[in-house]
Amino acid sequence: MAVATTPVNVDRQLAWTAAGPAPSPFPAALIAGSANPRLANRVERALAIRLAACTTERFPDGEVFVRIDESVRGLEVVLLQPTSPPVNDHLIELLAMADACRRAAAARIVAVIPYFGYARSDRRDGRRTPIMGSLLADLMERAGIGHVITLDLHTPAVEGFFRIAVDNLTAVPVLADTLRARVPSDAVIVSPDLGASHLADRYATILGLPVAICHKHRISGNHVSISRVTGDVAGRPCVVIDDMITTGGTIVECVRTLRAANAMPDITVAATHAVLVPGALRRIASAGVRKLIVSDSVGVTGEPVKELRPIVVSVAPLIATAIRRLLDGGSLRELA
Amino acid sequence: MAVATTPVNVDRQLAWTAAGPAPSPFPAALIAGSANPRLANRVERALAIRLAACTTERFPDGEVFVRIDESVRGLEVVLLQPTSPPVNDHLIELLAMADACRRAAAARIVAVIPYFGYARSDRRDGRRTPIMGSLLADLMERAGIGHVITLDLHTPAVEGFFRIAVDNLTAVPVLADTLRARVPSDAVIVSPDLGASHLADRYATILGLPVAICHKHRISGNHVSISRVTGDVAGRPCVVIDDMITTGGTIVECVRTLRAANAMPDITVAATHAVLVPGALRRIASAGVRKLIVSDSVGVTGEPVKELRPIVVSVAPLIATAIRRLLDGGSLRELA
Amino acid sequence: MAVATTPVNVDRQLAWTAAGPAPSPFPAALIAGSANPRLANRVERALAIRLAACTTERFPDGEVFVRIDESVRGLEVVLLQPTSPPVNDHLIELLAMADACRRAAAARIVAVIPYFGYARSDRRDGRRTPIMGSLLADLMERAGIGHVITLDLHTPAVEGFFRIAVDNLTAVPVLADTLRARVPSDAVIVSPDLGASHLADRYATILGLPVAICHKHRISGNHVSISRVTGDVAGRPCVVIDDMITTGGTIVECVRTLRAANAMPDITVAATHAVLVPGALRRIASAGVRKLIVSDSVGVTGEPVKELRPIVVSVAPLIATAIRRLLDGGSLRELA
Amino acid sequence: MAVATTPVNVDRQLAWTAAGPAPSPFPAALIAGSANPRLANRVERALAIRLAACTTERFPDGEVFVRIDESVRGLEVVLLQPTSPPVNDHLIELLAMADACRRAAAARIVAVIPYFGYARSDRRDGRRTPIMGSLLADLMERAGIGHVITLDLHTPAVEGFFRIAVDNLTAVPVLADTLRARVPSDAVIVSPDLGASHLADRYATILGLPVAICHKHRISGNHVSISRVTGDVAGRPCVVIDDMITTGGTIVECVRTLRAANAMPDITVAATHAVLVPGALRRIASAGVRKLIVSDSVGVTGEPVKELRPIVVSVAPLIATAIRRLLDGGSLRELA
Amino acid sequence: MAVATTPVNVDRQLAWTAAGPAPSPFPAALIAGSANPRLANRVERALAIRLAACTTERFPDGEVFVRIDESVRGLEVVLLQPTSPPVNDHLIELLAMADACRRAAAARIVAVIPYFGYARSDRRDGRRTPIMGSLLADLMERAGIGHVITLDLHTPAVEGFFRIAVDNLTAVPVLADTLRARVPSDAVIVSPDLGASHLADRYATILGLPVAICHKHRISGNHVSISRVTGDVAGRPCVVIDDMITTGGTIVECVRTLRAANAMPDITVAATHAVLVPGALRRIASAGVRKLIVSDSVGVTGEPVKELRPIVVSVAPLIATAIRRLLDGGSLRELA
Amino acid sequence: MAVATTPVNVDRQLAWTAAGPAPSPFPAALIAGSANPRLANRVERALAIRLAACTTERFPDGEVFVRIDESVRGLEVVLLQPTSPPVNDHLIELLAMADACRRAAAARIVAVIPYFGYARSDRRDGRRTPIMGSLLADLMERAGIGHVITLDLHTPAVEGFFRIAVDNLTAVPVLADTLRARVPSDAVIVSPDLGASHLADRYATILGLPVAICHKHRISGNHVSISRVTGDVAGRPCVVIDDMITTGGTIVECVRTLRAANAMPDITVAATHAVLVPGALRRIASAGVRKLIVSDSVGVTGEPVKELRPIVVSVAPLIATAIRRLLDGGSLRELA
């Protein structure tokens, strides 16, 4: 698995002369949970702020133990923890860290949650289910979190589930930068369903490419539906984009539809969150995908597959910029 | 403006032998605000429960005055008030009624809000705006409302903005019943944008018709987009559906796109909420729409237009059934 | 309508050398809603702080749209919005602005509400009404407002409806300053009812004048009552004061009572809030009032009446001083 | 100290054939704190419901100990506790009882607080004081109290300090009934200040008597003021009424003013709450008051004074009726 | 692993003639999570109430999915879910079930949590840790749980972490009943540390046996400590009791101390919660424990060990009785 | 009663060159309630910060009156008030001070509560009691307190009753310093019950002494128990320690047990909180205690006893250090 080494600058402010991590020059503390230590280290370097000492352990019976090992009294604490799988463990750990900071008299607690688990549970559709996104928003506020920074939320409604400030950053510019050199100029950005069409528009605008959309189409009033693609893909290279990949099922179906529509066989896929369950990578590779570009919002897991080595673009500079502006009081609008 | 007189039964339970309004047989009180008195009266008759006496006035300076004129002590109170235009007045009136009932020791307050204003404000899209749907959910809970019943919500995320129970009923079956006799069997259900495609599917399933979707399509990466229709509409009669009509702009654009795609010129429109701003009806009529079927969730306003007299189907039986099951403890699932 | 041009200094600190609005020197943002733009501009000039860019619009269906056009991240935001008529629109706009600022990560939200609508709804008197003052206090806190600054509240109980800090400024000194040159030294300050007697005392103390009180007097136990005046008004010029004027009915009745008590016919009226409903000005003029002195807490509305042109004294310097001390951490006591 | 033995029926429903206390026929429990056991016993008899067993003790260091000695699981619990002196002890005891009931799974907790301490602290008047009435309302809600029933609140604003239902009963009818036989038909009801004038009106309406009001009158703008009486009292017997008596200072000053206005010397006083601090009774007696009629909302304390033995009228039947209607779901309006 | 088949009656009310599960006769629904299906089935049989249909699944990425498959509108819902390992998954599932029930308009939500995970995290001891017990209490209340029933809580402080009703049942009587036939009359009940001494007293009282306590003893002021036993154990059979066993470490150390004090080698262990991590059973067996009696509050896990087959006593009858009384409004005191 | 005059430095930072109280150099205000003015003055001197002017009075009817006489707008307010007897009065006064500061727009309110009343009420033990510690925590948070600093809490669970930061300082080092010169090197630290054993360990570690524990021991299963001591006390001087003394009963029983175990008769007692009820000192003296060392967390009350004059060690330097670090943002860990 290769991390893109080409400098991916979000904006100029990122080019800090980071001679090495130093204690925070702001009255703030940066604390990382156990969910994505590699990303945490990259953010640490990009910010040139040393991560505060923190112990996160699991007891033999699976209970999470958290201890903050530096004073956070009166500080603005930034917790960095995606709620990636195992999602429940990472979630409870995040809440535990917030509780510890609150009881240690932190002035304010900001949670940076690059991947926000359970975001797809945003409606009930007439069934007696929870709305997990709404429940988690409530629990996070209750645990003392006062501000959330996240990345390419699956659904914008999650912002409204909170009453506090939520900043939804986007990895599209950094992913698009990496795509630029890798796709020909006659490529088409393809959204695998209606839900991702807004995201596809963002890629298309940055890259100057047209958009096509795959979607299920109900032929008659009964429950039979077929996948169709809207937009011209015949004979063109396709870049399928999505916010996240879990089982790869959506991607695989989209690839099939594109092939049926005579798209060029060499298909590229880009997604912000690589929540790859076992077998997902192989499944995508088997469908014929040859390039996969993802961010490091989630530690990319799953057994490696020879034919498909994901290109991982780091969102650490983006997150570092967001944290820096947060502490400076600057605007986050252009990162969203 | 004609109210459909054909019996629109949601289910058998609605066929109550309502010899005339009687005091509630349940320990409950039904109270209507001033937003839609005609609907309130229809619900009163359908439920065969007398509306509780309530005074709603406006002071000369525009302040709302509310007084409940019967005891609601220990009762389950059902407030009926769509937050239709003037939305802010109807909203404050609803909150005032809830506050009055809470202070009068009502056991529980259920708000039936057939049209939920501000539901379109469900995201920020990176701007510094409020999320009105989320804010209003919070204010309603705070004013003592413990349960919300609404109808064809613009976005399902609104449910998640609440922490309390929300039942989102649908008028699609009653509107589809009315459509059935009025559209030929080769008609196509048309969704005017991606957001309403789920609603279109519901109509299509009930009526056994195919679906087409109009949507904006970005040709290249720049900001130029054109409207397209996906699905076969050439030479076929079209039924454009939507959850609500305000200015009529979306409908008009859809009609134009359908015509460009050679759909039959005689277009029918069906929508749950007729929030018709001045000029909307004329605009729709001018575009060539010849049949408009809406519910009475909102008192249909706007000056009458000779060429287009809306057919108004009452949702009172539906709402009455929901209230009845609510008080009986029955399931509302099949009404949603 | 004339705005008093004589310099009305509350205290020395107001005499800032305001060469022109500049960006705020404090980590704060001043944002004005649409309720009283003229007052907002006067406060802007008095404070020498530029109003932050903010868009407030109404959709065709009457829904309020608010967008803050500058970053307020980490700032102390001061919202300026009287909840004057149309009260419900201005109220929802205020709550929307607060929600927008909260979601944009403002550090703290202070609402300056020079006229606080619904303040008269402060009790139930054994009826099943809401207590709107209490409800609104709750809604404002809920929307994220953390501090309220208001002016000559109709009832001091409103402070207790809040759990947060409320500073109730008074316009009496600035109004009294304007009165000083306009009333003879044998004048009497008249309170039109018992509720305003405390206010009358404040005017009397500043101006060194005696007080008289009009009040309803129940002759016997039945429901017949007459208006009486306590205090010597015979042959003397009277200055009727009140906190607010809406229909003018109270003033008119007071004037009649004073005439019956042989007061001099040339009566002056002073009130903080000119919430003048259509016809109010004419009604007051017809009763014989010849001078009316009010503040600009509310944009003075109502058609002009030739015989009675209100003298409008600006409270902008007072509000500017309060905001300045708020940001400086100074005491507001002497402004209250 | 004599308790009036003439039957004081509030309404017919009170004439229960109470053969003796029985366990509650409603799913409810009546629990009395230690503040006024005599009143509790009278309510018990009037309601014909046995008081639930409850232990209230003080530890040697003054801490309150409360234990409910019967199951209240799933019951509507009615706590009876005036917050009379020692007010802080009785208040904490009330909160402790509520907490105990909440943790014992009571379905709902109603606090009957015949005398509501700290009600006079309802505003700040520009000083840095607490608003105790507002604070206590918040604490009571927080401790689990869901409904408050009180009696002749010093200020109606207290209702608005709560968000929950508050029923403010009045002892005026029962006190007026007792007055009826004791005052001649040419008597005048006298309010000792402006604040009690509303109460005076209620007495006057019931007894068919006129009203006079004592009030401070500021002669000129300086701080000198004199007491005056408005209304005809010369040569007539006066009944001074008030909601509560603590030191007796207000009464004594009123009596002096009445004498100066040539009222008949034999003055009667009636008040709901006899919060008599040591010396108060003697002070009132010395001023010449010869009849004092009070309720048993507070256990009348203070050393007995030979010349002035208060006539105590029980509000137990009134409270019993209120509780009964509360449990029945009836209206409390006519008791307020 | 053998479940004790001797009838373990808590009290007479448990001996219901349960011809087979039937729908709930109370307006209640019993819903079981996935943590301990065997216990749920036993409770179902003991209560003779059918478990409501409920779907609990895990998505491929580990997210919990919950759907209640029957109407719970207006019902008292009893959720049965120990938060045993994997504790975070079971906890989130419990919160999700509560959220689903709340949104489905359940009247009240009672959580029966036979084993309460994280209860040992009840203090900070001067470190910057969370207090997980307090945090979880808050989260549970927030998710809509209104009442908690649990069993032999590790620390009674957990009750105080909640503001709602908590009933802490005890399995000691049922475990003691099973012990009675299995220990000789000269046995000693041994608490392995000071924390469990209260529990030991309860066993001793029921069985009429003496108590001994193992505890660390600091010889001098330095950090060296030894384990000692207080009480006469020499030559006597010992029954070590505890509330829970996880790694078995505490038990093993206690056994060693008892041996050093010449207790009889054949040691019995009884504990309510068998949270046995891998290797725990073998470790306890190796230390020489020959009888282990536990409840089925947690599904007993861990690989079976030939020399030590735990005797599992069901707490289902106890829990069934508690639920029944809860729904009947009866007292739970004698089960606590 | 003698206050130890030997300098008791907690750490170097306490040795401020306090030429005399000066206004706070931090944006903070130090406000003392009426519970322990002597301690407040000592803290004032140790911190070299002038106490803010504040008026605390009692009305004739016992109601607390509080007024902050300096601006606290935007300041961090530190309230100093132990909730010592009369506990309810001091508690309500503390809540009133917090409410006053909140309404006066304090930025944050820290309550320093050296003695935390009601801390022993931390569990229900199966009875229908309140949990006062939990209730008070909730009330304090509700009144606006955002941080609590306390001293040698009776039970660490109290921290978990709060959701906010709680810092539990300890007086053990300063008391141990005073003990060092007064006890021989062969002394034993004795905990009078199991609950204080953790405290005994802290003394023992500092002084390099061994520990003994008195505890009740149940001989057989019936309710007879005897007191025993674990550890070697025969012929040795004993120092009985505890967190607080109220009636002295526990101390007296411990002394008897020690004598029965042949400890040396000259027994020393040390405790943080001297909540001495009338007669307590005499009771302890009569039992033979000859030295009593306590802190000034509570104003030592009770009539003086000739044979036993308590040595009072001030915790003012400790509290001053804690406040200073709080305002500086420093760590409080080493004071806990």
Side-chain angles (χ1 to χ4, degrees), chain D residues 61 63 88-89 118 120, chain F residues 61 63 88-89 118 120 134:
Chain D
D61 58 358
E63 294 190 357
N88 298 328
D89 293 334
Y118 284 109
R120 283 165 299 177
Chain F
D61 58 359
E63 294 189 357
N88 298 328
D89 292 336
Y118 284 109
R120 284 164 299 177
S134 175

Side-chain angles (χ1 to χ4, degrees), chain A residues 134-143 161 163, chain B residues 138 141-142 163-164, chain C residues 142, chain D residues 142, chain E residues 95 98-99 102-103 109 135-146 162 164, chain F residues 163:
Chain A
S134 176
L135 172 64
L136 293 197
D138 206 18
L139 300 186
M140 287 179 190
E141 289 191 27
R142 196 68 193 169
F161 295 158
R163 313 296 183 212
Chain B
D138 205 17
E141 288 190 29
R142 197 67 193 168
R163 313 295 185 212
I164 56 173
Chain C
R142 196 69 192 169
Chain D
R142 198 68 192 167
Chain E
L95 298 173
D99 190 63
R102 173 172 57 172
R103 293 182 188 277
I109 301 169
L135 172 64
L136 293 197
D138 206 18
L139 300 186
M140 286 178 192
E141 289 191 27
R142 197 67 192 170
I145 292 171
F162 286 91
I164 56 173
Chain F
R163 312 294 183 213

Side-chain angles (χ1 to χ4, degrees), chain A residues 11 13 41 115 140 161 186 217 230 308 323 333:
Chain A
D11 66 12
Q13 278 188 262
N41 289 334
Y115 171 71
M140 287 179 190
F161 295 158
D186 63 339
H217 190 71
T230 302
L308 183 60
I323 293 173
R333 273 201 63 200

Side-chain angles (χ1 to χ4, degrees), chain C residues 165, chain D residues 128-130, chain F residues 31 68 72-73 77 79 96-109:
Chain D
R128 289 178 209 93
T129 66
Chain F
I31 300 180
I68 314 295
V72 296
R73 184 172 304 280
V77 173
L79 302 176
M97 291 194 303
D99 190 64
C101 291
R102 174 172 56 172
R103 293 183 189 278
R108 218 161 69 95
I109 301 170

Side-chain angles (χ1 to χ4, degrees), chain E residues 122-128 131 133-135 137-138 141 155-163 165-168 194 197-198 201-202 204-213 215-223 228 230-232 331-333 336, chain F residues 122-128 131 133-135 137-138 141 155-163 165-168 194 197-198 201-202 204-213 215-223 228 230-232 331-333 336:
Chain E
D122 64 340
R123 64 187 67 190
R124 297 201 309 153
D125 289 331
R127 300 164 306 154
R128 288 177 210 95
I131 301 181
S134 176
L135 172 64
D138 206 18
E141 289 191 27
T155 168
V158 170
E159 278 198 50
F161 296 158
F162 286 91
R163 312 297 183 212
V166 176
D167 286 295
N168 183 22
L194 297 179
S197 63
H198 186 67
D201 280 355
R202 298 197 68 161
T205 300
I206 293 175
L207 295 172
L209 299 177
V211 166
I213 302 177
H215 53 94
K216 307 259 183 162
H217 190 72
R218 190 182 300 276
I219 306 251
S220 72
N222 58 28
H223 288 285
R228 277 209 196 175
T230 302
D232 304 317
S331 172
L332 294 187
R333 275 201 61 202
Chain F
D122 64 340
R123 64 187 68 189
R124 296 200 310 152
D125 287 332
R127 301 163 305 155
R128 289 178 210 93
I131 300 181
S134 175
L135 173 64
D138 206 19
E141 288 191 28
T155 168
V158 170
E159 277 197 50
F161 295 158
F162 286 91
R163 312 294 183 213
V166 176
D167 286 294
N168 184 23
L194 298 179
S197 63
H198 186 68
D201 279 355
R202 298 197 67 161
T205 300
I206 293 175
L207 295 172
L209 298 177
V211 166
I213 301 176
H215 54 94
K216 306 259 182 159
H217 190 71
R218 189 182 299 276
I219 306 250
S220 71
N222 57 27
H223 288 284
R228 276 207 195 176
T230 302
D232 304 318
S331 172
L332 295 187
R333 274 200 62 199

Side-chain angles (χ1 to χ4, degrees), chain C residues 230-254:
Chain C
T230 303
D232 304 317
V233 299
R236 302 178 73 170
C238 289
V239 180
V240 179
I241 61 85
D242 212 343
D243 62 318
M244 62 187 288
I245 304 174
T246 48
T247 62
T250 302
I251 297 293
V252 168
E253 185 172 344
C254 178

